[in-house]
């Protein structure tokens, strides 16, 4: 059944064209007046809006719900997803599909980057993004632009200083894209370590040829000509660069170089998104009335998407230039306008064509996972395969794939051709070939050589191979490993084995049996897949859970090449708990490795050079039985003039 509203999703602010945003503003002005006059409206009569909020909200959810009620529509709401079936593990895709059967419009907020795009793909009715992870918050931007234009009479040529957490602030990212399109100037004033992310800058540069200046708060103070007497530097070079006509023009997109600041857009530190590795500044911006005292800033308005924490002084609240409460209040007429615009779209039978170009669907296995640990594709399960497109960048030294969901770049080091089952270290000379492999659906990408080989790919060129161990020698090496472990670890009852998928996991089971043959004890045994994007250890012994806490863990792998795989397995283990000790057992120690990881237990030492590869082939119980064998061969890297044909 066709929906009551045409399938027009607003996942990004860029889903709305400039003239569409202008139309929303026109409608919003009308609704603001109608609200003041207390008019009864019926624009959304018979329509139901569902609000799915996987994260807390005051303004966005309540103003959306108020907007729908004011338009004569109805609302169903999951304000706390802990009381929905999401708490039982229902995927976002299923939730979106189901709820879109109960409503005509879905508004979603979610902690993961790209979640709104997933909801839009699976929902039968339009989806409006109310904030997804640190990516975007387009309807907040509509409110921001609306209030800015109301106060300044225009958007083109304005200069807006964005202050605070510009890394995780999703409202900032949507606002940047929009200001760039409206021809406004941006001065980024990030708190230390909270700069605008690369993927935002690259999108601006690639799609709009737009860039902006970044300064520290102290620099801004001096640039603005005396925001704070302490930091005043009357005619410093930065001041020339930012506030006079000597501005480097390529940095300033608008026709008029700025001489004053028109708005400060202050944001709170997004504490909920900080990872352990993020350097949240001790000295976060604290914005007060002093910032508005100079002749360059005294006309500026102060905006904030709210909620505020300590970054915005309460003393500003009574200053007429503080517009943040009005900015929140217009959330109702602006969101009414957006809903009414959707109704207009429907009446005019306007459907959106899919806007995505150069989409890569990986027919070849394995399909890569997104590098962003907060990307929705890392949480949704196997039904949602990461999707990438080639990023528009001049730098092709590493293959730049951009995630369709969260927009982060994945820089690929190894590529494979699915039909020939050859892999290559990527360099820019391969770009043309990779484009054709994408077209024919035969591109595979790998994080490591080991991953390529585990998937049955061979290097593009290699020297002759020779066998260095046969199946009897492999068996002897496994027995030797078992003996070393039994001799070394005094309390075997506290030992568990974790094999690295895939050959390490096969060896782990054999090692467990060999230890049982010596010590008459069956150790718990699990497998970890470092490429899967999940940290779980899958029990291999029929149990349901694999314990790590206070256990002595023996990680098992076939060969250490760079050491990267083992390092990732160790990191994953430490995320699961605190083992009392971690040891490493490898069937083959080839001596060479990039990371300083030394195995505790070694089956056999086979010294090799950097250009040689050791490949372990293990017998399986499958159809194509093969003998255990360990092979060695030299890798010949493709020369520039010797690319695949
Ligand atoms: N500005 C904003 O998104 O506020 P809420 O988190 O309260 O919705």
């Amino acid at each position: 059944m066709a929906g009551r509203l045409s399938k027009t999703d607003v996942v990004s602010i860029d889903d709305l064209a400039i003239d569409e945003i202008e139309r929303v503003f026109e409608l919003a002005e009308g609704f603001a007046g109608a609200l003041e006059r207390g008019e009864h409206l019926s624009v959304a009569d018979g329509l139901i809006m569902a609000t799915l909020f996987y994260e807390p909200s005051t303004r966005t959810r309540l103003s959306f719900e108020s907007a729908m009620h004011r338009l004569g529509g109805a609302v169903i709401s999951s304000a706390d997803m802990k009381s929905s079936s999401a708490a039982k593990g229902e995927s976002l895709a299923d939730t979106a599909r189901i709820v879109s059967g109960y409503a005509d419009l879905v508004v979603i907020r979610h902690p993961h980057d790209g979640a709104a795009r997933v909801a839009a793909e699976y929902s039968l009715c339009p989806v409006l993004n109310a904030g997804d992870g640190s990516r975007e918050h387009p309807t907040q931007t509509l409110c921001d632009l609306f209030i800015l234009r109301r106060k300044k009479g225009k958007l083109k040529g304005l200069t807006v200083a964005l202050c605070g957490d510009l890394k995780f602030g999703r409202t900032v990212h949507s606002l940047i894209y929009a200001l760039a399109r409206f021809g406004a100037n941006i001065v980024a004033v990030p708190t230390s370590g909270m700069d605008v992310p690369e993927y935002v800058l690259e999108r601006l540069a690639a799609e709009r040829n737009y860039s902006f200046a970044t300064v520290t708060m102290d620099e801004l103070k001096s640039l603005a000509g005396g925001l704070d007497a302490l930091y005043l530097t009357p005619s410093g070079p930065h001041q020339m660069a930012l506030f006079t006509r000597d501005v480097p023009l390529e940095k300033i997109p608008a026709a008029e170089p700025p001489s004053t600041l028109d708005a400060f857009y202050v944001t709170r530190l997004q504490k909920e998104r900080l990872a352990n590795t993020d350097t949240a500044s001790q000295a976060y911006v604290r914005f007060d009335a002093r910032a508005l005292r100079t002749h360059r800033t005294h006309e500026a308005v102060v905006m904030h998407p709210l909620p505020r924490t300590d970054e915005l002084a309460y003393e500003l609240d009574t200053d007429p230039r503080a517009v943040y409460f009005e900015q929140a209040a217009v959330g109702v007429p602006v969101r009414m306008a957006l809903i009414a615009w959707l109704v207009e779209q429907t009446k005019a039978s306007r459907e959106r064509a899919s806007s995505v170009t150069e989409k890569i669907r990986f027919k070849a296995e394995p399909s890569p996972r997104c590098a962003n640990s907060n990307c929705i594709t890392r949480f949704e399960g196997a039904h949602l395969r990461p999707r990438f497109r080639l990023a528009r960048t001049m730098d092709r030294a590493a293959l730049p794939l951009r995630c369709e969901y969260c927009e982060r770049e994945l820089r690929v080091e190894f590529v494979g051709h699915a039909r020939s089952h050859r892999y290559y270290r990527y360099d820019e000379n391969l770009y043309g070939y990779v484009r054709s492999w994408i077209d024919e659906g035969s591109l595979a990408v790998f994080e490591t050589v080991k991953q390529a080989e585990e998937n049955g790919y061979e290097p593009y060129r290699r020297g002759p191979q020779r066998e260095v161990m046969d199946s009897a020698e492999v068996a002897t090496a496994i027995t030797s490993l078992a003996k070393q472990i039994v001799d070394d670890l005094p309390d075997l009852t506290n030992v568990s084995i974790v094999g690295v998928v895939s050959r390490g996991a096969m060896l782990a089971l054999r090692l467990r049996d060999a230890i049982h043959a010596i010590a008459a004890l069956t150790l718990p045994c699990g497998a970890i897949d470092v490429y899967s994007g999940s940290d779980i250890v899958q029990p291999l012994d029929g149990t349901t859970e694999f314990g790590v806490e206070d256990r002595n863990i023996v990680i098992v792998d076939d060969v250490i090449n760079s050491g990267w795989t083992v390092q990732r397995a160790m990191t994953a283990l430490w995320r699961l708990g605190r083992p009392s000790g971690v040891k490493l057992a490898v069937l083959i120690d080839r001596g060479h490795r990039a990371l300083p990881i030394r195995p505790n237990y070694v089956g056999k030492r086979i010294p090799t050079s950097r250009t040689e590869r050791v490949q372990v082939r293990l017998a399986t119980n499958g159809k194509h039985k093969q003998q255990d064998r360990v092979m060695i061969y030299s890798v010949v890297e493709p020369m520039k003039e010797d690319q695949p044909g």
Side-chain angles (χ1 to χ4, degrees):
M1 187 189 81
R4 291 175 194 221
L5 289 176
S6 66
K7 178 75 174 131
T8 301
D9 305 302
V10 181
V11 169
S12 162
I13 189 66
D14 283 347
D15 288 334
L16 294 170
I18 296 260
D19 62 327
E20 292 171 332
I21 295 175
E22 298 283 7
R23 175 64 187 146
V24 169
F25 290 168
E26 193 183 333
L27 288 165
E29 289 293 4
F31 287 132
L35 288 175
E36 264 179 35
R37 294 187 294 275
E39 284 176 24
H40 188 80
L41 300 163
S42 57
V43 173
D45 190 20
L47 294 179
I48 298 175
M49 178 173 76
T51 52
L52 298 179
F53 276 62
Y54 290 75
E55 266 192 346
S57 166
T58 298
R59 274 147 294 275
T60 312
R61 185 172 69 82
L62 294 180
S63 64
F64 254 121
E65 296 185 359
S66 173
M68 194 60 173
H69 285 298
R70 295 279 190 216
L71 289 173
V75 176
I76 53 176
S77 184
S78 242
D80 179 1
M81 295 306 284
K82 289 195 195 81
S83 62
S84 80
S85 284
K88 300 178 208 157
E90 184 163 46
S91 69
L92 173 60
D94 279 357
T95 304
R97 198 186 323 236
I98 299 296
V99 172
S100 69
Y102 304 156
D104 307 298
L105 170 65
V106 171
V107 177
I108 183 166
R109 170 169 291 187
H110 199 283
H112 295 144
D113 306 328
R117 173 129 356 256
V118 172
E121 284 181 2
Y122 286 84
S123 162
L124 304 170
C125 68
V127 168
L128 303 181
N129 179 6
D132 60 337
S134 60
R135 215 183 66 88
E136 281 207 52
H137 191 347
T139 67
Q140 177 64 46
T141 294
L142 291 176
C143 301
D144 301 342
L145 296 178
F146 183 74
I147 203 75
L148 192 55
R149 202 181 66 154
R150 184 186 262 186
K151 297 296 166 192
K152 296 289 168 188
K154 61 174 187 175
L155 292 170
K156 185 173 172 61
L158 294 184
T159 301
V160 181
L162 305 172
C163 311
D165 179 353
L166 310 187
K167 179 177 181 180
F168 294 116
R170 56 193 172 200
T171 68
V172 171
H173 302 159
S174 290
L175 184 58
I176 286 174
Y177 299 136
L179 289 174
R181 277 203 291 156
F182 276 95
N185 306 300
I186 294 169
V187 181
V189 196
T191 284
S192 169
M194 295 286 135
D195 299 70
V196 178
E198 276 303 310
Y199 74 90
V200 175
L201 299 178
E202 282 178 16
R203 176 166 148 186
L204 283 175
E207 294 175 12
R208 315 226 164 270
N209 196 20
Y210 183 97
S211 61
F212 52 80
T214 297
V215 298
T216 65
M217 198 41 146
D218 285 350
E219 281 171 326
L220 184 73
K221 284 173 184 171
S222 59
L223 301 176
L227 288 182
D228 181 328
L230 199 61
Y231 296 109
L232 186 68
T233 53
S235 59
H238 294 300
Q239 183 177 343
M240 295 295 285
L242 270 173
F243 290 97
T244 77
R245 286 181 176 272
D246 296 334
V247 169
L249 279 179
E250 72 277 11
K251 293 278 176 201
I252 303 294
E256 289 282 306
S259 57
T260 55
L261 274 185
D262 298 293
F264 287 98
Y265 189 92
V266 187
T267 59
R268 75 182 168 92
L269 178 67
Q270 305 279 308
K271 279 195 185 121
E272 65 274 34
R273 303 200 202 289
L274 294 180
N276 294 337
T277 47
D278 286 311
T279 49
S281 172
Q282 297 296 310
Y284 197 78
V285 57
R286 275 189 62 83
F287 199 87
D288 58 35
R290 285 177 300 168
L292 302 175
R293 278 188 201 144
T294 82
H295 72 285
R296 295 195 196 281
T297 61
H298 75 271
E299 297 285 328
V301 293
V302 182
M303 302 170 68
H304 194 305
L306 303 178
R308 69 175 145 189
T309 45
D310 295 329
E311 67 283 351
L312 197 56
Y314 277 72
E315 70 182 33
L316 266 174
D317 293 359
T318 50
D319 190 308
R321 293 165 294 183
V323 299
Y324 31 86
F325 291 126
E326 193 178 339
Q327 187 183 350
V330 299
V332 175
V334 167
R335 291 183 171 108
M336 286 169 80
L338 186 60
I339 297 165
W341 175 79
L342 280 175
V343 173
E344 279 187 359
Q345 293 289 104
T346 309
K347 285 188 178 148
S349 304
R350 282 196 282 266
E351 286 282 345
R352 289 294 159 105
S354 173
S355 61
V356 184
T357 54
E358 289 200 296
K359 213 179 266 186
I360 305 171
R361 286 186 190 274
F362 286 87
K363 291 186 196 138
E365 293 294 337
S367 57
R369 65 176 191 153
C370 180
N372 170 14
S373 61
N374 194 46
C375 178
I376 186 67
T377 58
R378 304 275 288 256
F379 299 89
E380 269 289 279
H383 70 89
L384 183 68
R385 295 176 68 124
R387 229 173 39 210
F388 296 86
R389 65 188 152 90
L390 275 177
R392 282 193 235 165
T393 167
M394 298 312 286
D395 175 18
R396 291 173 178 172
L399 183 65
L401 298 184
R402 195 174 296 291
C403 174
E404 283 282 344
Y405 294 98
C406 74
E407 299 186 69
R408 304 305 199 283
E409 202 171 282
L410 175 74
R411 297 186 82 80
V412 173
E413 256 196 88
F414 299 97
V415 293
H417 183 237
R419 277 195 282 124
S420 64
H421 265 74
R422 298 282 183 207
Y423 73 84
Y424 309 77
R425 181 184 290 280
Y426 179 80
D427 75 33
E428 57 195 309
N429 298 295
L430 280 170
Y431 188 81
Y433 295 102
V434 166
R435 291 296 304 255
S436 65
W437 298 348
I438 289 170
D439 292 344
E440 65 187 41
S442 57
L443 174 68
V445 307
F446 306 105
E447 294 179 50
T448 61
V449 164
K450 189 180 172 77
Q451 190 192 16
E453 293 188 348
E454 292 230 340
N455 280 280
Y457 283 70
E458 304 258 338
Y460 165 55
R461 290 179 66 195
R462 68 174 190 200
Q465 54 180 332
R466 69 190 159 85
E467 185 179 278
V468 284
M469 286 171 83
D470 61 16
S471 79
E473 286 173 292
V474 171
T476 305
I478 291 171
T479 306
S480 162
L481 277 174
K483 282 196 183 121
Q484 291 170 52
I485 291 167
V486 171
D487 290 347
D488 184 50
L489 297 175
D491 179 13
L492 279 181
T493 59
N494 191 37
V495 176
S496 300
I497 306 177
V498 173
V500 180
V501 170
S502 61
R503 289 192 194 95
M506 293 161 79
L507 287 168
L509 282 171
R510 293 200 198 177
L511 193 55
R512 179 198 62 180
D513 294 345
I515 291 171
H516 183 266
I518 299 168
L521 193 69
T522 303
L523 306 187
C525 190
I528 192 159
D529 184 350
V530 298
Y531 300 106
S532 70
S534 131
D535 286 341
I536 59 163
V537 176
Q538 191 71 42
L540 293 175
D541 45 15
T543 56
T544 50
E545 258 185 48
F546 189 91
V548 166
E549 200 69 32
D550 289 331
R551 303 284 300 172
N552 220 343
I553 306 285
V554 177
I555 296 178
V556 183
D557 209 352
D558 55 347
V559 190
I560 304 182
N561 288 302
S562 66
W564 178 94
T565 320
V566 167
Q567 196 184 52
R568 194 186 265 192
M570 283 184 180
T571 308
L573 276 178
W574 281 91
R575 281 204 202 103
L576 291 173
R578 290 285 170 268
S580 58
V582 177
K583 306 274 187 183
L584 174 61
V586 294
L587 183 68
I588 314 292
D589 182 9
R590 61 191 286 255
H592 165 75
R593 61 191 74 92
L595 297 171
I597 288 177
R598 192 171 294 281
N600 305 83
Y601 315 116
V602 173
K604 184 169 178 174
R605 287 176 213 286
I606 303 180
T608 45
S609 77
R610 186 182 289 271
T611 56
E612 284 176 312
R613 303 275 312 148
V614 174
Q615 203 178 60
V616 175
R617 299 174 187 171
L618 294 176
T620 60
N621 296 325
K623 259 203 291 193
H624 307 289
K625 271 193 180 171
Q626 64 174 13
Q627 292 285 306
D628 293 340
R629 295 174 86 191
V630 178
M631 313 297 292
I632 190 167
Y633 57 83
S634 58
V635 176
V636 184
E637 287 279 339
M639 305 295 288
K640 287 202 182 333
E641 67 277 14
D642 186 22
Q643 298 295 317

